Every structure is written in structure tokens, then in C-alpha cells.
Amino acid sequence: MKKKKKSKSKNKHIRAKLIANPGAGNEVDAPSLLEQAVRCLTNHGIKVDVAYASPKKECRILAKKAVEKGYKIVIAMGGDGTIGEVIRGIAGSDVTLGVIVGGTMNDIAASLGIPEDVEAACALIAKGDMRELDLWQIKTRKHKKFYFFMVTVIGLTAALYPDVKKIPKGKLKEKFSSMKDAIVTLVEHEAKPEVLLTLDDESKIKVDTMVVTIANTPLIASKNLVAPDASMQDGLFDISVFPDYNKAEVLSYFQRTAEENLIPDGKLQRFRAHKVKVKSKPKLEISADGISLGTGTCTIKMHRRALRVFVPPIGLGAEKSQEDEEEELSAPLSPFIKQNKESST
């Protein structure tokens, strides 16, 4: 007589909160995908309580309530926006995040190697293998404490994003209006703003650039590989600046990287740090994970391995393995544009 095979699920008989955004991705397929997810998790022995988040901003509130009610697993089903809001809701807790892809923008899942197939994602959650990942906190004049997981963008692309993101889903009239607004923003944006970066309270770099990206994940904005060496648990973020780029070159670079992955460019400057402060003149727009945070100065610091997530081994996603995660790398990966150890006036 054959012995009964034991379940491989570490999370069997655990109750989980599943927060689903019915407006994410293909709204026609969303109900059937949610039903499939619940059935699959149940088959793995995970008891699921479902909450609908519409609009998306309700995800944060629902996630906070789940933490308060004692759930140890909170599952986000949607795209990057949905997942980001759930992350902000569970930040600071010992809850573990599960991810089921269901959106149009799935860079978090692609960076981590979380499968887009619903059943495979549910099996990953049930298996129970998790990593403790870095979570970042940005402070601006309007937002004193805002958590983000993917990227902060400062400058031209941050200014364009609110208009550009409306184009795909809007009605024809709304699309034209959004395109018009984006064109006006592009034309009126300062061509040579001055940016001062302070890395780890020490190194100061002053540069004329229209864009600064500060990334934790390798992929942003529809699988655009902006930080190929990024690790999500090394305590460092990858900073890119674009000196001597005009507006057309900035837009062209991001368009090409979205289509062709990483494009070598000798003008691009890259740095790594544990903490960064950014000042701009004139004051540039700031956005974190696609959410506008105002203009001007921002300070970003790290919460080391503060986010628990069910993920596969490193190597299945865009993230590269880091051989020495404790290495101090506040110096740039490429030569400084201009470095001044003295206080900037």
C-alpha cells in the first residue's frame, strides 16, 4: 500500500486576506480569474477572505484593517498600483505579502519572478518560501512618510506621467485631451534644471539633468529595465541621471529601453547609495511608484528587509543575485559628473 503523499504547503490551514482590484487589467476576465484564485488557494488548504478594492486607493485601508485583525498573510491581486497600495497598508507589520498578477502593469511580479499564471502564483504562496525585501520611505514637503517599493522619478517623466497614464484607457475625447496636456507639459518643462544629489549624507553631485530615477526594482513602467544591477534586499538603491540629454533624447531613451531592454549609453550616469537627498532648481516634479508627491526637495531612506513577500528563488525574475550584500557602494558605478565635499550654497 502506497503512503499518502504529504502536502508541500507550508501555509495549509492558514487564513489569508485576498484584496482584489476588479478594475485592474482586463475587467471582463477579472471575475473568473478571482474565482480561479480562490479555488486554487482553497485547494492548497489556505482559507481565503476576499475584499474588493475599488477604487484602487481602498487597498491600503483594507490592508491596514487586515493587519489589525491579525491576518498573517495578505494577498494582493492586481497590477503594480494595487500591489503598491497593499504594501503601504502592511508596512511596519510582520504580515507576509502574496502576489497574484491581475493588472496591466506587472513590473513587481516580473522583477521578482512571480509567475503571471494564477495557479502557479497560488502554488508559490502555498509553498511558503519568502524573502525579506527592502522597503523605501520618501519624504517631501507634502508627504512626510510615504513608502514605495519600485522607483522614485524626479523631473520630466514624473511631470508627464499623470497625463500619459490616462491615454490607454480613456475615451477618444479624453485621450486627445490627455495627449494635449502631455505635449504642453513637454514643451514648457525646463530644459536644463540643476539637480544636487547628496548620497549617504556625504558625497554631493551637482548636475544639469531633466530626469533622475531612484530604483529598488530592476523593472519599471511596462518592464523597462532601468536598473539592471538592482537587488531588492541589498540595502541600496540604483540612481540614474541623464546629463546633456535634450527632451527628445530622454523620451527616446525610455522608449527604446522599453522595446529593446537595456540600451548602453555613455552619457548615462549611475550611482548607488543607502540614502539620498535630491534638491532641484527650478523645483522639479516628484513621483514614487507612479503617485505624484509634489515638487522640490525629497529625502529617501531605506528600511532594510522590512517587507516579507512569497517569491521564487533569485534568478527567475529580472533581479540579479548579489554575492556580497553588505558591500558599501555609495560611490558611483561610473565616474562622478561633479563632486563637491563641501556644503553646497
Side-chain angles (χ1 to χ4, degrees):
M1 182 176 177
K2 291 184 178 180
K3 292 183 179 180
K4 189 176 180 181
K5 194 174 181 179
K6 293 183 179 180
S7 172
K8 294 182 180 180
S9 173
K10 294 180 183 178
N11 291 321
K12 197 170 184 179
H13 305 309
I14 290 179
R15 185 173 293 278
K17 190 71 172 183
L18 172 59
I19 300 173
N21 178 8
N26 188 331
E27 295 182 26
V28 176
D29 296 335
S32 61
L33 289 176
L34 177 59
E35 182 182 346
Q36 181 184 6
V38 172
R39 183 174 62 251
C40 186
L41 289 167
T42 302
N43 289 340
H44 281 288
I46 300 175
K47 300 177 180 179
V48 183
D49 297 327
V50 178
Y52 292 93
S54 183
K56 179 174 59 184
K57 62 184 179 182
E58 291 181 358
C59 292
R60 192 185 316 186
I61 299 171
L62 292 169
K64 283 184 177 180
K65 289 182 178 178
V67 173
E68 292 169 358
K69 291 181 178 179
Y71 287 91
K72 295 303 180 184
I73 296 175
V74 173
I75 302 168
M77 185 170 184
D80 290 329
T82 301
I83 298 166
E85 289 295 337
V86 171
I87 287 174
R88 281 181 277 280
I90 66 174
S93 74
D94 61 354
V95 166
T96 304
L97 174 70
V99 173
I100 299 175
V101 174
T104 52
M105 306 283 274
N106 302 310
D107 294 312
I108 292 176
S111 290
L112 290 168
I114 295 172
E116 294 194 3
D117 177 76
V118 170
E119 292 193 6
C122 292
L124 179 65
I125 294 169
K127 188 177 180 183
D129 293 342
M130 72 89 182
R131 287 169 54 203
E132 295 178 337
L133 306 179
D134 298 334
L135 189 58
W136 298 92
Q137 181 184 322
I138 182 171
K139 178 182 178 182
T140 66
R141 184 173 60 86
K142 290 186 176 181
H143 294 78
K144 300 301 181 184
K145 189 177 181 180
F146 186 89
Y147 290 102
F148 73 95
F149 182 67
M150 295 174 61
V151 66
T152 288
V153 180
I154 299 160
L156 179 59
T157 49
L160 289 172
Y161 185 78
D163 296 321
V164 172
K165 73 176 182 178
K166 298 176 186 175
I167 294 174
K169 287 189 176 182
K171 296 178 182 178
L172 187 59
K173 185 177 180 180
E174 294 171 345
K175 286 184 179 182
F176 279 121
S177 177
S178 297
M179 289 174 65
K180 180 181 177 182
D181 291 341
I183 292 170
V184 170
T185 300
L186 177 63
V187 172
E188 294 182 349
H189 196 274
E190 172 65 40
K192 288 189 176 181
E194 183 180 85
V195 174
L196 175 66
L197 300 171
T198 303
L199 307 183
D200 295 330
D201 297 320
E202 295 179 356
S203 301
K204 294 182 183 292
I205 304 104
K206 188 179 289 184
V207 59
D208 292 339
T209 180
M210 283 184 285
V211 180
V212 178
T213 63
I214 302 169
N216 181 43
T217 57
L219 302 172
I220 67 167
S222 298
K223 298 179 176 60
N224 191 320
L225 185 63
V226 298
D229 298 313
S231 165
M232 287 166 271
Q233 61 180 63
D234 65 352
L236 296 161
F237 42 65
D238 288 43
I239 306 160
S240 299
V241 296
F242 299 76
D244 301 322
Y245 282 68
N246 59 37
K247 296 174 185 178
E249 287 174 327
V250 169
L251 298 179
S252 175
Y253 178 85
F254 282 100
Q255 178 64 33
R256 287 185 296 127
T257 53
E259 294 175 352
E260 305 171 39
N261 220 323
L262 185 68
I263 304 295
D265 192 317
K267 294 195 297 182
L268 178 65
Q269 297 289 318
R270 297 175 55 239
F271 310 86
R272 302 183 80 188
H274 303 276
K275 179 182 179 182
V276 64
K277 183 175 182 179
V278 184
K279 290 184 178 180
S280 56
K281 184 180 180 181
K283 295 178 179 180
L284 297 177
E285 296 80 0
I286 304 166
S287 70
D289 286 357
I291 297 175
S292 178
L293 301 179
T295 63
T297 300
C298 68
T299 301
I300 302 172
K301 64 180 182 179
M302 175 268 301
H303 291 268
R304 187 78 188 271
R305 301 189 179 186
L307 179 67
R308 299 158 56 94
V309 188
F310 294 118
V311 291
I314 296 176
L316 295 182
E319 182 185 19
K320 290 184 178 179
S321 176
Q322 300 292 312
E323 293 182 359
D324 185 2
E325 295 172 358
E326 301 300 326
E327 183 181 1
E328 296 291 336
L329 289 172
S330 59
L333 298 181
S334 54
F336 276 114
I337 301 160
K338 180 179 180 182
Q339 185 172 357
N340 179 10
K341 294 288 185 179
E342 298 175 359
S343 297
S344 177
T345 55

